[in-house]
Amino acid sequence: MSREQRIRVDQILRQPGPGPDGPRSVEQIRAGFRELMARMIVPHDRIRTAPTTLGGRPALRVEPAAGPGTGEPSAGTILYFHGGGWVFGSPETALSLTGHLVARTGLPAYSVDYRLAPEHPFPAAIEDTLAAYRALLDRGADPAAIAFAGDSAGGGLAVTTCLAARDAGLPLPAAVLAFSPGTDATRTGASMDTKEGIDPVFTRAALEHTGAMYLAGADPRHPLLSPAVHADLTGLPPMLIQVGANEVLLDDSTRLAARASEAGVDVILDVTADVPHVFQSFAGVLDEADEALDRAALFLRQRVRTATAWEVGQADFPR
């Protein structure tokens, strides 16, 4: 645990982005996020990637790198949903997270390039993530060997895609891993105010700016927009929620965990002090990030069934 590391990460995140003061355009937001995430450490020597498609959308296939003693990837699949407020981000911007999970677990992953607002508002993203899950099932993947994972908006999608799958009568995945999930479009959590200024990433105004693009007039109380306060979480698979104590979205996680527990879901709430939104992105820079990813990898290995031969995704790489 390094106070100096935490201070440095906070300083990096507080650096002003490109463009004028005030609300930035979608293009400026997307460019700024790409620039920030390009600074994150990706374990390129431990993974290999290939573009593919899943459920009719582009996706990035991420596998442990082949090498002496590594063998085949473990049976199972991480279905990953990137962050970015449903407005920005891509599988490439999330590769530090996906790559570290794959390297630590030995599980291959698909990272889905779902449609973004404002061009494609709610429920387009959930339609795409659910279609990706259906595609895995249609290929014969065992749901007990699939885990949903995501960060920020993608963490919210990991939860709401489970809800959509349940309501569609599909078998549910083995586990849900959510990094700092966005799960309350009503913005009613107390941390929205108590963490204002402490959070180096978000303000209420910034979240409402991009949130309005995704909602496009939809009722923020919809269960697929605010599962932390308005969804019935009954029947969801075991869930690990990791969040930083310095986030305005802290209560999105704490209330989601409480609601899941009340619904009989096996849930772990993992709160790390003095760190920001999706701090796991700073693996290799921040000790707390590496430790959290180790805990996340252990959770996935414990929950995802890997007893059968590896089946899913072999066609995505030449042999």
Side-chain angles (χ1 to χ4, degrees):
M1 303 287 184
S2 167
R3 180 173 180 272
E4 291 74 20
Q5 290 174 352
R6 295 194 299 269
I7 291 172
R8 177 57 182 150
V9 167
D10 189 90
Q11 291 172 338
I12 290 171
L13 293 172
R14 290 185 189 276
Q15 292 175 1
D21 293 337
R24 293 181 294 161
S25 69
V26 171
E27 292 75 18
Q28 289 170 331
I29 293 170
R30 290 172 177 170
F33 189 66
R34 285 194 301 270
E35 181 180 337
L36 172 65
M37 298 311 291
R39 302 172 65 179
M40 303 301 133
I41 296 172
V42 176
H44 290 293
D45 59 331
R46 300 173 64 191
I47 62 171
R48 58 178 182 167
T49 64
T52 185
T53 59
L54 190 66
R57 290 296 303 167
L60 191 67
R61 175 76 173 173
V62 186
E63 285 188 354
T70 61
E72 292 289 356
S74 298
T77 301
I78 300 169
L79 187 57
Y80 198 89
F81 310 131
H82 69 80
W86 299 277
V87 171
F88 49 99
S90 68
E92 287 72 26
T93 62
L95 190 53
S96 61
L97 294 164
T98 317
H100 280 291
L101 286 177
V102 168
R104 281 170 161 82
T105 62
L107 293 167
Y110 285 100
S111 187
V112 183
D113 193 4
Y114 57 85
R115 289 172 292 170
L116 299 176
E119 297 90 345
H120 304 284
F122 174 80
I126 295 173
E127 291 171 349
D128 290 348
T129 54
L130 183 61
Y133 183 49
R134 284 185 185 274
L136 288 179
L137 297 179
D138 289 346
R139 294 182 184 186
D142 182 354
I146 299 172
F148 290 176
D151 64 284
S152 194
L157 284 171
V159 175
T160 55
T161 304
C162 260
L163 293 174
R166 180 198 65 188
D167 294 347
L170 298 176
L172 294 184
V176 173
L177 169 63
F179 298 137
S180 301
T183 60
D184 178 21
T186 69
R187 309 298 183 207
T188 54
S191 59
M192 288 296 300
D193 298 314
T194 60
K195 300 297 181 178
E196 183 87 16
I198 297 172
D199 188 328
V201 179
F202 289 132
T203 63
R204 178 184 287 274
L207 288 170
E208 290 178 347
H209 176 55
T210 53
M213 298 180 197
Y214 182 53
L215 265 64
D219 185 347
R221 296 171 295 181
H222 192 292
L224 298 184
L225 289 169
S226 297
V229 287
H230 290 294
D232 175 7
L233 304 180
T234 303
L236 263 59
M239 188 181 304
L240 171 61
I241 305 166
Q242 292 188 340
V243 65
N246 286 3
E247 302 191 40
V248 295
L249 295 180
L250 173 62
D251 284 355
D252 284 40
S253 290
T254 60
R255 290 179 300 158
L256 177 67
R259 194 172 187 85
S261 180
E262 290 167 1
V265 176
D266 181 356
V267 59
I268 301 168
L269 175 65
D270 182 353
V271 183
T272 298
D274 298 325
V275 294
H277 186 68
V278 194
F279 65 95
Q280 299 87 345
S281 296
F282 286 90
V285 174
L286 182 66
D287 289 344
E288 289 86 345
D290 287 289
E291 292 163 3
L293 284 166
D294 286 343
R295 295 193 297 273
L298 175 62
F299 171 78
L300 292 176
R301 290 197 303 269
Q302 289 175 330
R303 294 297 181 180
V304 174
R305 190 168 78 187
T306 59
T308 58
W310 177 52
E311 298 174 347
V312 179
Q314 295 186 72
D316 292 328
F317 286 94
R319 297 292 177 184

